[in-house]
Amino acid sequence: MASRWLLLLSLTCLPANAMDIEWKGVADMRISHSSGIQSYVSGQTGKLQNSPGGDLSLGQLGVALNLGINDQSSIAVVGNSFIDDEKNSTGLTELFYQRSGLPNENGLRHGMRLGMFYPPISLENRATAWSPANSLTPSTMNSWIGEEIRTTGFEYTAEWLGKFRQADYDLKLSTGLFTMNDTAGAMLSWHGWGLSSRQSVYGEGLPIPQTPAQTGILSVQAKESDPFHEGDDRLGYYLNAEYLLKRKLLLQAGYYDNNATPYVETDGQYGWNTQFTYAGFRWRLNKQWSLMGQLMQGSTLMQSPQRVNVVDNDYRSGYLTLSWHNKPHSINARLEEFSVTDLDQTPGDNNDEYGKAFTLSYRYRLDKQWFLLSELNWIDSNRAARAYSNENTRKIEQQLQMALRYYF
């Protein structure tokens, strides 16, 4: 805890007059209509960001500050706000020092990040303030990353640039050591996969759906999960590799392990020993067509203080997106499949889940900074825990969204 606040203090105490300050942002106003059941964002068992009915919302207001120290070093500060009928959240989503060195004669460049940031997993959320560039809603996989996965620690990157070696490919390897992510896996287990463009802001609590087990073996669990919680002072780690061929084909693979102690509980927050592997690609087929996909597979374990398995789940999610671009138009069609497999025997806490989803997005570029977007989300899921609230375990939910987005 002390090291975290020392880091934040050291960042804010740097002299402002020595910095080159740059900033950019994104503002996203939406109109949406959904059908199905109450959203998981408000602690229920629906799979969509919005509950049934219409909603006028601030889909995202994100601001990214870059405080330049010199040509190679800077501090990044990213804040986001999300305001809708489910929940209002405003705060920091990333804060880190970064350094990117100059490449040597062989094209090798070293880089680092220190602070709170997203690991380099998502291939969708690579626009300003971690927004998805070509759609309103990322896949279930990357929706979960935005909700529960954030690292506070150190990342080192080595990048080999092909143009220095007369090669037609670039290679990037990253590794990170981190803390403050011990509860990753709690929400994936207790509400399952979902579709949402929200990101958890620092200090935010995530409401947990009610199950019979919470009056028994899980009675100590807090009503909200803290995605930034650290309970055992153990470091997690991740590895990420990216291969870029002729700037047309990107291949990605990685591994993430929060290394949490699963039987430690502090302030109603349990440790969840969570790890996953992932792989992805982005392929520019020609000037108009591109294909992108990612697959994640992992496990999460939470135990009682007596080291009895309380929640033991395997999980999986994958998507494939076909995109067509012809300025000023862009169309994206995404198919995905997801599951959670419950391996424990805890009564009143069945986390089994299986589902499929389809998303169709259209983006029209009004000018350099203004965009109109529309999106249809369809998701068919079967979740056993819905029976605890007398709901049908299988639900088909749909959502139509229209948005005006401005990058500034």
Side-chain angles (χ1 to χ4, degrees):
M1 181 70 70
S3 61
R4 173 179 48 176
W5 292 112
L6 284 174
L7 170 62
L8 296 179
L9 182 62
S10 65
L11 294 179
T12 55
C13 288
L14 288 170
N17 57 4
M19 295 185 180
D20 179 19
I21 301 177
E22 298 179 353
W23 64 286
K24 56 184 178 180
V26 56
D28 183 335
M29 291 298 301
R30 300 186 191 181
I31 299 174
S32 63
H33 189 275
S34 306
S35 63
I37 54 178
Q38 296 297 113
S39 171
Y40 74 89
V41 175
S42 57
Q44 304 302 316
T45 58
K47 293 297 177 187
L48 296 172
Q49 178 169 331
N50 298 306
S51 294
D55 189 19
L56 173 63
S57 64
L58 177 64
Q60 181 179 9
L61 175 60
V63 177
L65 293 176
N66 191 73
L67 312 176
I69 300 172
N70 54 45
D71 291 341
Q72 300 178 40
S73 302
S74 64
I75 295 170
V77 183
V78 183
N80 275 289
S81 183
F82 308 91
I83 300 175
D84 56 33
D85 286 346
E86 303 302 327
K87 190 180 183 185
N88 298 337
S89 303
T90 300
L92 280 176
T93 49
E94 296 184 272
L95 172 63
F96 57 90
Y97 166 83
Q98 59 186 340
R99 179 178 175 83
S100 181
L102 297 174
N104 63 20
E105 64 276 7
N106 296 316
L108 174 60
R109 179 167 62 191
H110 303 280
M112 61 161 287
R113 293 193 290 176
L114 177 65
M116 179 178 69
F117 48 84
Y118 284 104
I121 298 175
S122 177
L123 296 182
E124 297 177 298
N125 297 65
R126 296 205 168 184
T128 301
W130 209 74
S131 59
N134 297 317
S135 65
L136 291 174
T137 310
S139 62
T140 53
M141 170 183 163
N142 290 308
S143 294
W144 178 58
I145 296 295
E147 182 181 34
E148 279 205 291
I149 303 297
R150 206 74 45 86
T151 54
T152 299
F154 173 79
E155 176 190 83
Y156 166 74
T157 298
E159 187 173 12
W160 289 266
L161 303 176
K163 64 181 180 180
F164 287 83
R165 299 175 287 108
Q166 289 72 54
D168 56 5
Y169 68 90
D170 298 337
L171 179 64
K172 181 188 292 187
L173 301 176
S174 301
T175 183
L177 293 172
F178 63 87
T179 183
M180 292 174 60
N181 197 218
D182 282 1
T183 60
M187 302 311 297
L188 181 57
S189 297
W190 283 332
H191 68 49
W193 299 98
L195 286 174
S196 172
S197 60
R198 301 178 68 101
Q199 304 170 44
S200 296
V201 302
Y202 180 74
E204 178 178 7
L206 306 175
I208 298 171
Q210 296 299 301
T211 63
Q214 291 174 23
T215 61
I217 193 170
L218 290 171
S219 60
V220 179
Q221 170 66 47
K223 300 299 182 183
E224 295 186 329
S225 179
D226 175 7
F228 300 93
H229 180 72
E230 178 59 40
D232 60 6
D233 296 323
R234 292 171 58 175
L235 292 176
Y237 67 95
Y238 63 82
L239 304 169
N240 184 77
E242 294 184 4
Y243 172 87
L244 180 60
L245 178 63
K246 297 182 178 180
R247 301 199 174 275
K248 290 184 178 181
L249 175 63
L250 173 69
L251 300 177
Q252 173 210 47
Y255 177 76
Y256 188 97
D257 189 341
N258 73 350
N259 194 34
T261 306
Y263 52 84
V264 169
E265 176 270 321
T266 54
D267 301 323
Q269 304 290 332
Y270 284 90
W272 293 69
N273 185 233
T274 298
Q275 54 278 142
F276 56 83
T277 55
Y278 60 92
F281 75 95
R282 185 172 62 238
W283 185 13
R284 184 159 59 89
L285 303 172
N286 54 39
K287 291 183 178 180
Q288 293 183 320
W289 292 92
S290 62
L291 194 63
M292 178 172 66
Q294 287 186 281
L295 177 65
M296 172 188 286
Q297 183 168 321
S299 63
T300 186
L301 173 67
M302 186 267 277
Q303 298 176 316
S304 70
Q306 293 75 35
R307 305 190 186 187
V308 175
N309 290 1
V310 178
V311 183
D312 183 7
N313 293 330
D314 288 345
Y315 54 88
R316 183 173 182 173
S317 181
Y319 71 88
L320 187 65
T321 300
L322 179 64
S323 301
W324 175 82
H325 304 278
N326 187 10
K327 293 182 180 179
H329 307 281
S330 176
I331 298 175
N332 301 272
R334 183 179 69 222
L335 288 171
E336 51 190 306
E337 185 179 35
F338 54 87
S339 66
V340 177
T341 303
D342 192 320
L343 303 175
D344 61 76
Q345 303 300 316
T346 301
D349 188 54
N350 190 339
N351 306 130
D352 276 329
E353 173 176 287
Y354 175 78
K356 297 179 180 180
F358 172 71
T359 295
L360 182 63
S361 305
Y362 170 71
R363 188 188 69 175
Y364 179 77
R365 186 168 191 166
L366 296 168
D367 63 19
K368 185 177 180 179
Q369 296 171 282
W370 289 94
F371 296 84
L372 285 173
L373 296 98
S374 60
E375 183 176 276
L376 172 66
N377 308 114
W378 177 91
I379 186 165
D380 180 357
S381 63
N382 194 324
R383 180 162 183 81
R386 290 185 180 132
Y388 301 139
S389 53
N390 298 316
E391 296 275 0
N392 291 330
T393 58
R394 183 184 179 188
K395 289 288 184 178
I396 296 178
E397 300 170 84
Q398 300 177 71
Q399 179 173 255
L400 180 62
Q401 302 182 85
M402 299 188 68
L404 179 63
R405 180 180 288 176
Y406 176 63
Y407 286 103
F408 54 91

